[in-house]
Amino acid sequence: MSSVKRRKISDNPSAVKKKKTEAPKPKMTPGPEPRIEDAVSEASDAEESTTLDNENGEAAPKTFKDLGIVDSLCEACDRLGYKQPTAIQQEAIPLALQDRDIIGIAETGSGKTAAFALPILQALLDKPQPLFALVLAPTRELAAQIAQSFEALGSLINLRCALLLGGLDMVQQAIALGKKPHVVVATPGRLLDHLEKTKGFSLRNLRYCVMDEADRLLDMDFGPILEKILKFLPRERRTFLFSATMSSKVESLQRASLRDPLKVNVSTSKYQTVSTLVSNYLFIPHIHKDTYFIYLCNEFAGKTMIVFTRTVLETQRIAILLRTLGMGAIPLHGGLSQSARLGALSKFRAGARNILVATDVAARGLDIPNVDCVINYDLPQDSKTYIHRVGRTARAGKSGHALSIVTQYDLEIWTRIEAALGTKLTEYAYEKDEVMVFKARVEEAQRHARNEMKNLIDDRGKKGSVLKGHRGKKRGAPGSGRDNMDAEEG
Ligand SMILES: Nc1ncnc2c1ncn2[C@@H]1O[C@H](COP(=O)(O)OP(=O)(O)OP(=O)(O)O)[C@@H](O)[C@H]1O
């Protein structure tokens, strides 16, 4: 292994010899006085990647060191197998090192997490202090994953990171905050609870605030909580917004109170999927939906799959249906306890089950290696969610397959999704006779699933039951609590 000068975070800033990082000149010039409106209009443009720059118009290979990243962080990247920065990393890191607010847009699975984590860790090395950075994410699973990425990238520099998630013990989290972490990763509802209730916890000296899946965080549901959180943060700070899909609504971007932001867009169109993804649909009669679905699962038998459904109950029913037919399925939705949710995800990650059946709580950000296929059992309600769902496969340059089941009732939304993608997808080729071979077995499994669902619903809320007992409570309804904001995205 090459010998590198390693730097560690010292809590005594004077103990670290300050060395100004010489970041290479960015290819995107800041230009005169960028305003939020400029960023907004730029963000909605279809743009070419700005990495094309050598004589042949090919991307010049760059290393993390070339981008201005220090040795200890380069070594952490190396250990994680990051040989070269991805496009969004190449574009965003030099600008972030120059102390700019950034709106970063790049396809799903393109390495956005390291694009914001590395500059933050580097700034932390320069000026070490507790509660240096805050990262907000819309779902608990995503927040947990981001904290893991920070810990992995900060493994050689003594990074302390705290994770604040809804659904888990506040006291344990307050203890973690008492240890003065450098980075806090949180879901919005729980962070606000701590800001309001945990004695001695303050983000007054925060230097960086990141909103991952920013368009979701800034939308109507989360927006009001975000506004409250921002009142606890200092105005003098850097703000990074990252997502694969970005809202171009001025109001929602203004919510993030960016200062002269620069937009880094490495997507070639507004809603784009990666080129390694094969996407098909099946147009089928609603009455045979389960039979077609089981046929598809059989076609992809042995592969790792995520199946998206619209509701908690449908997620649970589909998982039972699959298990009854001998397939290793596990449900993930906001009707489960938080420990059951994290348990389901780790079983799926570890390969103990090869089919994850999920609501949109799993649509954004989750980075599970080697997901071969995403099936939209129910179509998503909007095209943005489609992009995020299918982005759970074909990540980091790998190939993947997305299949959407479209019935006669889904034509309008499907037309809208295709229009947003700017392309007509091809239909998945099948022989109807081969599908109908499954009909009798599926009908038997449906009867079994109906009975099991009845028992689960009757037991809801009882001790040891699978489903939580918050029947009928809506987001924001009295008693549901803001902590539940991130409990269920579907
Ligand atoms: N430079 C790199 N080289 C190789 N792999 C990388 C590099 N940077 C990140 N990765 C890996 O690529 C995968 C996707 O990264 P990440 O989860 O940050 O994507 P993302 O852009 O945030 O996706 P999404 O929009 O779905 O949230 C991760 O497994 C990550 O470890």
Side-chain angles (χ1 to χ4, degrees), residues 64 80-86 88-89 106-114 116 142 145 149 212-213 243-244 363-367 369 388 391-392 395-396:
F64 284 101
L80 290 171
Y82 299 0
K83 293 195 174 56
Q84 238 181 278
T86 63
I88 183 72
Q89 292 161 2
E107 289 125 5
T108 51
S110 59
K112 291 187 284 296
T113 315
F116 61 75
L142 177 56
Q145 182 185 293
S149 297
D212 196 18
E213 307 298 340
S243 187
R364 280 183 182 251
L366 288 191
D367 182 49
H388 288 280
R392 296 317 99 209
R395 297 177 70 75

Side-chain angles (χ1 to χ4, degrees), residues 330-342:
I330 191 151
L332 174 68
H333 54 71
L336 300 171
S337 70
Q338 189 50 35
S339 52
R341 277 168 66 168
L342 291 172

Side-chain angles (χ1 to χ4, degrees), residues 65-79:
K65 203 174 169 65
D66 294 335
L67 302 181
I69 295 295
V70 296
D71 286 346
S72 41
L73 295 173
C74 287
E75 189 184 342
C77 290
D78 200 46
R79 287 187 184 191

